Amino acid sequence: MMNLYSRRKFLQNSSLLAAGAVMASSFKLLKDKPLLSFSTLGCPDWSFNQIMDFAAQHGYDGIELRGIQREMDLTKVKELSTDKSRQQTLQQMKDKGLRFADLGSSAMMHIADPAERLKNLDEGRRFIDLAQQLECPFVRVFPNTFPKDGDKAAAMDLMVKGLLELAGHAKGSKVSVLVESHGDLVKIADLETVMKAAEHPHAGMIWDVCNMWAITKEPPAEAYKVLHPYIRHTHIKDGKITGNDVHYVLLGQGDVPIFEAIDALRNGGYKGYYSFEWEKLWHPEIGEPDVAIADYARVMRAHFG
């Protein structure tokens, strides 16, 4: 028969084991929980307060800024246009448990014309400075196109030089400049060439899986295997593909092997944001943001278990 001392020790040890199991389970849930953000491209008519409230309500961790109420130059948005407004906005985000995941600029790196090139690089620099003030780690730039009858290598060289110039501007900050797989720079080999040449502590890439696969049909697992050293941020979306045309649909309802990419990221130890890019501003015919953005959070959590 168990004496009183033995019984007490048994109960204590059982309690400790149960508590340890709960802690281990909680740690696993926290470890596996994906960092979720969404681009404001998906809700072009929402106020900034609406965006923050919706993100917090649906358990998002971050917001990717790509325009507010159709103003694409973030430095002109009232919530971000002065030192005081930026500080207030950043505090509002923190109060809701949110962070800025990325600032989406329109700066294009392929342009050769000196005046136009300067204009694009200046936009990149302004966004880098803004990102630093908002404690935002990344600024997106476009690569963007190859000349139809010109020198592809020369265009890629311009992309590399632009990325390195902006990375140099970011030196000393906590901001990195990321080139998106976008436009004509979507093949694995071309992206690898540019990223190797533009290697810099403040440079990296955004992996937009749909942009690549819709054109190249290269398997996402192969893309991840080659490009993972450079991937700092992602754009996640799905679509029905007809030729090179994409009709965006809710996650998991399209033709894009998006979960192959998500699993490659997860299994490879990716720690960044899985950022939903619902292109409502460019494609007003697609579903409403409150439905799509809520659905994305639900589907992603279900997928991660």
Side-chain angles (χ1 to χ4, degrees):
M1 183 180 290
M2 187 182 292
N3 62 37
L4 185 62
Y5 175 78
S6 299
R7 178 177 172 77
R8 186 180 296 122
K9 289 297 289 180
F10 172 78
L11 291 171
Q12 286 175 344
N13 288 340
S14 297
S15 297
L16 286 170
L17 285 169
V22 169
M23 287 177 67
S25 177
S26 299
F27 177 75
K28 185 178 186 304
L29 283 171
L30 189 64
K31 183 182 177 185
D32 288 347
K33 179 181 179 291
L35 274 179
L36 299 183
S37 63
F38 65 86
S39 168
T40 56
L41 193 67
C43 47
D45 297 312
W46 288 4
S47 69
F48 188 70
N49 282 334
Q50 281 179 285
I51 293 164
M52 285 193 298
D53 288 345
F54 197 88
Q57 180 186 346
H58 289 85
Y60 278 89
D61 305 284
I63 295 170
E64 178 169 359
L65 292 183
R66 178 61 170 141
I68 302 290
Q69 294 187 313
R70 300 176 185 264
E71 174 55 73
M72 306 309 284
D73 187 342
L74 295 175
T75 64
K76 295 178 180 177
V77 171
K78 67 177 181 178
E79 289 87 357
L80 306 173
S81 59
T82 67
D83 285 340
K84 184 178 180 181
S85 65
R86 287 188 287 270
Q87 289 168 8
Q88 290 173 338
T89 297
L90 182 58
Q91 190 57 54
Q92 282 181 295
M93 288 280 286
K94 289 180 177 179
D95 290 345
K96 292 183 181 293
L98 298 167
R99 297 181 65 85
F100 289 111
D102 174 64
L103 304 186
S105 81
S106 300
M108 295 183 284
M109 302 294 100
H110 74 286
I111 294 172
D113 177 78
E116 282 300 309
R117 185 168 183 80
L118 179 61
K119 192 185 300 183
N120 279 267
L121 290 172
D122 279 347
E123 177 174 335
R125 284 186 276 265
R126 285 189 293 108
F127 272 61
I128 291 165
D129 295 343
L130 178 60
Q132 175 70 0
Q133 292 175 303
L134 295 177
E135 299 178 12
C136 178
F138 304 130
V139 167
R140 187 281 308 280
V141 297
F142 291 128
N144 199 30
T145 59
F146 301 145
K148 286 184 170 47
D149 301 312
D151 189 344
K152 174 181 170 180
M156 290 171 72
D157 187 53
L158 285 169
M159 294 171 190
V160 169
K161 286 176 178 174
L163 192 53
L164 285 173
E165 185 168 340
L166 291 179
H169 182 79
K171 187 177 179 181
S173 75
K174 294 181 179 180
V175 180
S176 292
V177 184
L178 308 184
V179 69
E180 184 179 359
S181 51
H182 185 277
D184 290 339
L185 192 71
V186 288
K187 290 184 178 177
I188 295 170
D190 290 343
L191 278 156
E192 184 183 25
T193 297
V194 168
M195 296 317 302
K196 274 186 174 179
E199 209 158 327
H200 189 285
H202 290 271
M205 71 166 278
I206 296 175
W207 187 20
D208 189 311
V209 181
C210 181
N211 281 358
M212 292 181 68
W213 191 85
I215 295 171
T216 71
K217 302 300 185 290
E218 294 173 315
E222 288 184 18
Y224 179 79
K225 185 177 179 181
V226 174
L227 299 173
H228 73 87
Y230 314 109
I231 296 169
R232 311 274 193 93
H233 187 60
T234 61
H235 283 166
I236 307 294
K237 58 198 177 198
D238 201 352
K240 297 282 189 181
I241 314 294
T242 306
N244 285 341
D245 293 328
V246 183
H247 174 71
Y248 297 109
V249 296
L250 299 179
L251 201 68
Q253 297 185 16
D255 302 322
V256 181
I258 193 65
F259 293 111
E260 179 185 327
I262 290 167
D263 290 343
L265 288 159
R266 181 186 187 182
N267 295 334
Y270 172 72
K271 303 299 182 188
Y273 286 92
Y274 296 82
S275 195
F276 183 45
E277 190 181 48
W278 188 243
E279 295 195 7
K280 181 70 172 175
L281 179 60
W282 310 136
H283 302 278
E285 74 282 358
I286 64 177
E288 293 306 308
D290 56 335
V291 174
I293 296 170
D295 179 80
Y296 177 76
R298 180 187 62 77
V299 170
M300 285 294 284
R301 288 201 190 89
H303 185 73
F304 274 73

